[in-house]
Amino acid sequence: MNPACLKLTSEQLDAIREIANIGTGHAATALAALTDWRIGMHVPRVDIVPLSHFIEIICGPETKAIGIYLAVEGDAPGHVAFLMSQEGAQRMADRLLGLPPGTTKGLGELECSALMELGNIIVSSFLVAIGELTGLTLFTTPPALACDATASILASLASMLAATGTLQKDALTIVTNLEQGESDLEGFFLYVPESQSLSTFLNALYGERPID
């Protein structure tokens, strides 16, 4: 596949959407189990996005956000990020640490550790579901956490994707919103498989030839 010019048919996009829906559903279930909250999930959006427009895939680019990033390794390498507002991250830290709501006013080492473990667990659930569907072996590297404006976090991710050499122009992005309606808490789950991984997924599902 030419990474500078990513093209997929509608049938191939539907197949990727099926993978995304199953994976993100398991991620939402893991988040609900961790927090004992009822978690809602939007249907994943699957789009081909120029890296130069990466900051537009999530609304509120100037919002102060927490981003948890994990690289995906194994049979189909890729990249996952989980983003939430800084206020939402503080409320999530309260929940994870068993503290009364409103206790956390900043994110110290303990709070960041809890949030990174959250990211690790929900991403692992996502990958396990995809692995069961496709028969592929997928695993993550240790999580990293960033605190910045949403646009800055996404711009840094786009630069890192471009630096891999596998996504020179476009990226297939899978984005879904995970919501806890009662507390008005929202997070964004973003998955970007590397270009060759798309052929790996489709071949595992349907025995397709590599994408041109």
Side-chain angles (χ1 to χ4, degrees), residues 24-200:
T24 53
H26 279 69
T29 299
L31 180 57
L34 278 171
T35 59
D36 198 27
W37 276 335
R38 181 177 297 175
I39 301 296
M41 184 192 82
H42 291 200
V43 175
R45 306 191 307 274
V46 179
D47 296 299
I48 296 173
V49 178
L51 291 179
S52 58
H53 295 171
F54 216 64
I55 63 173
E56 301 170 11
I57 61 177
I58 294 177
C59 59
E62 298 307 317
T63 302
K64 194 74 170 180
I66 299 299
I68 303 164
Y69 165 79
L70 300 96
V72 178
E73 298 184 346
D75 294 331
H79 309 267
V80 179
F82 184 64
L83 290 86
M84 68 186 86
S85 70
Q86 185 171 5
E87 178 185 350
Q90 291 171 181
R91 285 153 59 192
M92 182 65 76
D94 282 340
R95 190 72 174 185
L96 295 171
L97 296 172
L99 301 173
T103 299
T104 299
K105 303 300 183 183
L107 296 176
E109 183 177 350
L110 179 62
E111 292 79 12
C112 288
S113 178
L115 292 169
M116 286 191 287
E117 182 59 20
L118 165 74
N120 191 42
I121 291 172
I122 64 174
V123 172
S124 294
S125 298
F126 173 83
L127 295 178
V128 165
I130 292 177
E132 290 176 349
L133 178 65
T134 62
L136 300 173
T137 298
L138 304 168
F139 54 92
T140 66
T141 60
L145 186 144
C147 180
D148 207 332
T150 302
S152 296
I153 293 174
L154 292 175
S156 296
L157 181 56
S159 296
M160 182 178 61
L161 294 174
T164 67
T166 63
L167 294 164
Q168 295 174 5
K169 182 180 178 182
D170 298 332
L172 184 132
T173 61
I174 297 168
V175 181
T176 192
N177 302 48
L178 301 176
E179 299 176 336
Q180 207 291 316
E182 295 175 3
S183 63
D184 195 31
L185 189 148
E186 181 178 36
F188 293 90
F189 187 93
L190 168 65
Y191 175 51
V192 183
E194 293 187 0
S195 298
Q196 192 56 44
S197 297
L198 300 178
S199 292
T200 303

